[in-house]
Amino acid sequence: MKKTFIVALCAVMMASCNKQAPKVDEKPASQNAPQELKIAFVEVDSIMTQYTFCKEKSKELEKKGNNIQNTLAQKQQALQNAAVKFQQDIQANKYTQQQAESVQAGLQKQNNDLQALNQRLTAEFQSETEKFNEELRKNIQAYLTEYNKDKKYSIIFSKQGDNILYADGAYDITKEVVAGLNKSYKAAPAKKDEEKKDAKAEKK
């Protein structure tokens, strides 16, 4: 059971820790497209390790994953201990046949409950991971849309590992983007507070 959860957990964490490049919405071709492409790229790994939002959310997910694993491991150990004791009591003739069947049914129910808990917690964890990835994608897209109003890049690539075989460092805008994302993330709570105050004022 523990091994089953760990495999599922690793699969989910890999989706988060491998940090697949967020998909950027494609835009229709413009009739006024520039004759010369102005391109840039962003190192996705740097965003994952330097963007405060990513660091905080990754820690939260890691902590929750560890808590889930520990919870399931404890319940699995308790079930194994109960099963061992049951076998020992059977060998010592401590049960009547009816009592033994009752205890065995209880152990089977405990095992079924543990499997159901495993599936539920794994599904919840995967859902939170997907929610994090989607929020990350939206954050990056929203920032780059604003950022590119002045920069006027035709294309901004996401570079991760060797998915781009060669890229001139002159086109690397990672530091600017990370700094901008962190600035926006830091300002977000204050902006939300202002929006709440405005909403309350309108109700009055």
Side-chain angles (χ1 to χ4, degrees), residues 109-143:
K109 182 180 184 302
Q110 190 175 345
N111 181 62
N112 292 340
D113 289 345
L114 180 56
Q115 290 185 27
L117 179 63
N118 182 359
Q119 293 176 354
R120 179 174 65 81
L121 293 179
T122 301
E124 289 178 359
F125 185 83
Q126 184 172 0
S127 177
E128 285 196 30
T129 302
E130 291 172 352
K131 182 179 178 181
F132 157 65
N133 287 331
E134 178 63 17
E135 189 173 356
L136 171 61
R137 182 185 67 83
K138 289 181 178 179
N139 288 353
I140 294 175
Q141 287 184 346
Y143 175 74

Side-chain angles (χ1 to χ4, degrees), residues 82 85-104 107:
K85 184 178 184 304
F86 173 66
Q87 289 298 326
Q88 292 174 342
D89 290 344
I90 287 291
Q91 293 175 359
N93 295 319
K94 290 186 177 182
Y95 298 123
T96 64
Q97 182 176 352
Q98 185 177 3
Q99 289 174 331
E101 290 175 352
S102 177
V103 173
Q104 188 173 16
L107 290 174

Side-chain angles (χ1 to χ4, degrees), residues 11-26:
V12 174
M13 287 297 290
M14 284 296 291
S16 176
C17 295
N18 284 345
K19 316 306 180 190
Q20 296 180 356
K23 296 180 180 178
V24 179
D25 295 335
E26 294 182 1

Side-chain angles (χ1 to χ4, degrees), residues 19-187:
K19 316 306 180 190
Q20 296 180 356
K23 296 180 180 178
V24 179
D25 295 335
E26 294 182 1
K27 296 185 177 180
S30 172
Q31 294 179 352
N32 299 320
Q35 294 181 350
E36 181 180 353
L37 282 177
K38 184 180 180 184
I39 63 174
F41 70 88
V42 177
E43 291 277 2
V44 175
D45 291 343
S46 295
I47 290 181
M48 306 314 301
T49 57
Q50 298 174 29
Y51 182 20
T52 304
F53 167 78
C54 288
K55 292 192 290 185
E56 291 179 353
K57 293 297 182 179
S58 293
K59 286 182 179 179
E60 289 177 13
L61 286 171
E62 182 179 5
K63 182 178 180 181
K64 181 163 187 175
N66 288 336
N67 289 339
I68 291 173
Q69 183 176 333
N70 291 336
T71 296
L72 292 174
Q74 290 173 4
K75 290 184 176 296
Q76 176 69 29
Q77 187 61 54
L79 177 59
Q80 289 178 349
N81 292 342
V84 170
K85 184 178 184 304
F86 173 66
Q87 289 298 326
Q88 292 174 342
D89 290 344
I90 287 291
Q91 293 175 359
N93 295 319
K94 290 186 177 182
Y95 298 123
T96 64
Q97 182 176 352
Q98 185 177 3
Q99 289 174 331
E101 290 175 352
S102 177
V103 173
Q104 188 173 16
L107 290 174
Q108 183 60 51
K109 182 180 184 302
Q110 190 175 345
N111 181 62
N112 292 340
D113 289 345
L114 180 56
Q115 290 185 27
L117 179 63
N118 182 359
Q119 293 176 354
R120 179 174 65 81
L121 293 179
T122 301
E124 289 178 359
F125 185 83
Q126 184 172 0
S127 177
E128 285 196 30
T129 302
E130 291 172 352
K131 182 179 178 181
F132 157 65
N133 287 331
E134 178 63 17
E135 189 173 356
L136 171 61
R137 182 185 67 83
K138 289 181 178 179
N139 288 353
I140 294 175
Q141 287 184 346
Y143 175 74
L144 287 179
T145 297
E146 189 65 27
Y147 169 86
N148 205 43
K149 287 181 180 179
D150 294 327
K151 299 297 183 178
K152 306 295 183 183
Y153 287 110
S154 303
I155 301 175
I156 298 178
F157 292 101
S158 61
K159 184 177 184 297
Q160 183 179 22
D162 59 357
N163 67 322
I164 296 179
L165 297 179
Y166 172 79
D168 191 323
Y171 299 102
D172 187 352
I173 59 171
T174 305
K175 289 184 179 180
E176 290 180 68
V177 172
V178 170
L181 284 169
N182 282 329
K183 184 177 180 180
S184 298
Y185 182 63
K186 186 177 180 181

